[in-house]
Amino acid sequence: MTESTEHKHKRGLLLTGGGTKGAFQAGALKYLILEKKRRYDAVAGFSIGALNGAGVAQGDLSMVMDLWENAKSISNFFGGNWAFYKGLLSMKPLRKHLIDRLDIDKLRASPVEFYFSTVDLQKGILIEIDKHKSPLIDWLLASCSIPGVFEPVEIDGHQFVDGGVLATNPLAPLIHAGADEIDVITCRPIYDRSTGKKVETIIETAQRCLELIQSEMVRLDIDRCRQMTETIINWGHMKGGVNIIEGFVLNLAEKRENFPLSHYREVKVNIVEPSEDIIDILEFDADKIKAAMTAGYDEAKRVFDALESLPEVE
């Protein structure tokens, strides 16, 4: 979490990666934005979460819904790649979707901040991109470039791949933007990642390993955020239960430059995650995509209905 400053309540949205599992996010967003009228000050994502997030940040959820509601086959997303030794599939259909639906001027003029990530293969580091970076469509496609499946996207002489490869602190851009409440919509379960399905091919093995890596990084970051928030709350409770002299000492401690909690604030995290894997990363079954969208809608409704039923904490 980041340095505490005077700020209004800000809400962030994190959308993780997962290929065609991103249909779950589309369903959840349909409920949260269209039904719940939930608004966000900042959006962050990686891989397919970056594409879904671009529509949210632009203020055009139809850009997201059109992609998923009209998905009938693999050709709606990807095409063949003649240079298959560099990547099995091309992202030409996705590029066309972005060219047709992404209004870059509108996105950049939007009051919603937008951040996404990709990995520089030459430097070996995670690159955080914002909506003002050019060429924006190339950067978005780079964030979605699953290693081995797609050819790396080359920009300025460097090759870039899926941001989920090194997304070690996915909440960080939103916390730095001042968010004190973050909705996280994942594409796969992050706390129960077990599966009874056996992998059969090299690609399936690579996909499964990438899924586990991404889920673990997201889980760790959420757990760190929640632990720090709990520490801050417990500190406040402790201060409230001391006498005048002890309170004076604690207040003096807080004013010291090296006080460990002085640079942090409370951040509430709400998680919408599927209870099970409904569709694989590169599975293009229209019925399963529809089922994943329905599951996302239903789970978002369940989570936020439950949150509203909780008693307010004074």
Side-chain angles (χ1 to χ4, degrees):
M1 294 190 297
T2 192
E3 188 172 344
S4 176
T5 57
E6 290 293 328
H7 67 288
K8 67 171 186 177
H9 175 76
K10 290 187 176 181
R11 182 182 295 131
L13 172 67
L14 173 64
L15 301 171
T16 67
T20 44
K21 293 175 185 283
F24 178 88
Q25 291 178 343
L29 290 170
K30 181 178 180 179
Y31 174 74
L32 292 176
I33 294 176
L34 297 186
E35 303 292 336
K36 198 69 176 172
K37 306 300 182 185
R38 203 160 171 83
R39 296 294 178 260
Y40 298 97
D41 299 286
V43 177
F46 57 85
S47 197
I48 195 64
L51 292 193
N52 287 337
V56 176
Q58 182 176 298
D60 184 9
L61 192 61
S62 64
M63 173 182 161
V64 178
M65 303 311 297
D66 284 353
L67 176 66
W68 297 105
E69 290 178 342
N70 297 321
K72 306 299 181 184
S73 69
I74 189 173
S75 62
N76 294 114
F77 294 85
F78 313 119
N81 186 19
W82 67 270
F84 61 88
Y85 58 92
K86 294 183 178 181
L88 297 178
L89 300 171
S90 80
M91 290 188 283
K92 288 182 180 178
L94 270 183
R95 179 182 290 276
K96 184 178 186 306
H97 174 77
L98 287 172
I99 291 172
D100 290 345
R101 298 307 306 268
L102 183 67
D103 186 333
I104 294 177
D105 290 336
K106 182 179 179 181
L107 173 61
R108 288 174 174 163
S110 168
V112 181
E113 293 302 316
F114 178 47
Y115 310 94
F116 60 98
S117 60
T118 183
V119 173
D120 186 324
L121 289 181
Q122 277 64 55
K123 292 184 178 180
I125 58 174
L126 184 75
I127 305 294
E128 295 287 356
I129 309 294
D130 65 27
K131 63 184 180 181
H132 302 289
K133 187 82 168 178
S134 295
L136 190 60
I137 287 178
D138 286 348
W139 285 116
L140 282 167
L141 292 174
S143 184
C144 298
S145 182
I146 301 173
V149 178
F150 305 108
E151 181 178 350
V153 176
E154 186 166 329
I155 304 172
D156 296 332
H158 283 235
Q159 295 168 302
F160 298 89
V161 296
D162 196 314
V165 172
L166 288 177
T168 52
N169 299 104
L171 296 176
L174 299 172
I175 295 173
H176 292 159
D180 41 31
E181 181 180 16
I182 299 174
D183 294 346
V184 178
I185 308 177
T186 71
C187 293
R188 61 179 63 84
I190 58 174
Y191 285 96
D192 181 5
R193 299 180 294 241
S194 60
T195 179
K197 181 181 178 181
K198 289 185 177 181
V199 296
E200 303 291 345
T201 67
I202 294 173
I203 294 298
E204 288 179 349
T205 302
Q207 289 174 14
R208 177 62 175 162
C209 290
L210 183 60
E211 283 184 352
L212 295 174
I213 291 169
Q214 292 181 2
S215 293
E216 182 66 3
M217 289 189 291
V218 172
R219 182 193 68 79
L220 287 172
D221 208 28
I222 290 173
D223 287 350
R224 282 193 295 263
C225 183
R226 284 176 164 174
Q227 288 166 5
M228 183 54 67
T229 292
E230 185 177 349
T231 299
I232 295 170
I233 292 173
N234 288 339
W235 172 258
H237 289 164
M238 184 182 73
K239 283 182 59 181
V242 300
N243 59 41
I244 295 177
I245 296 176
E246 291 171 332
F248 177 76
V249 173
L250 293 179
N251 285 330
L252 284 179
E254 285 184 335
K255 294 178 181 179
R256 294 177 62 89
E257 290 185 4
N258 61 351
F259 181 67
L261 298 182
S262 62
H263 299 292
Y264 299 92
R265 66 176 184 276
E266 295 178 33
V267 178
K268 180 183 179 183
V269 179
N270 309 310
I271 302 176
V272 179
E273 61 174 324
S275 59
E276 60 181 351
D277 279 320
I278 299 169
I279 187 170
D280 289 338
I281 288 180
L282 294 174
E283 188 173 11
F284 301 93
D285 182 305
D287 290 337
K288 286 189 176 182
I289 288 174
K290 183 178 179 180
M293 293 179 68
T294 299
Y297 183 98
D298 291 344
E299 181 62 12
K301 185 176 188 306
R302 185 195 69 79
V303 168
F304 282 87
D305 283 352
L307 288 174
E308 288 184 351
S309 68
L310 293 175
E312 292 188 9
V313 178
E314 295 184 1

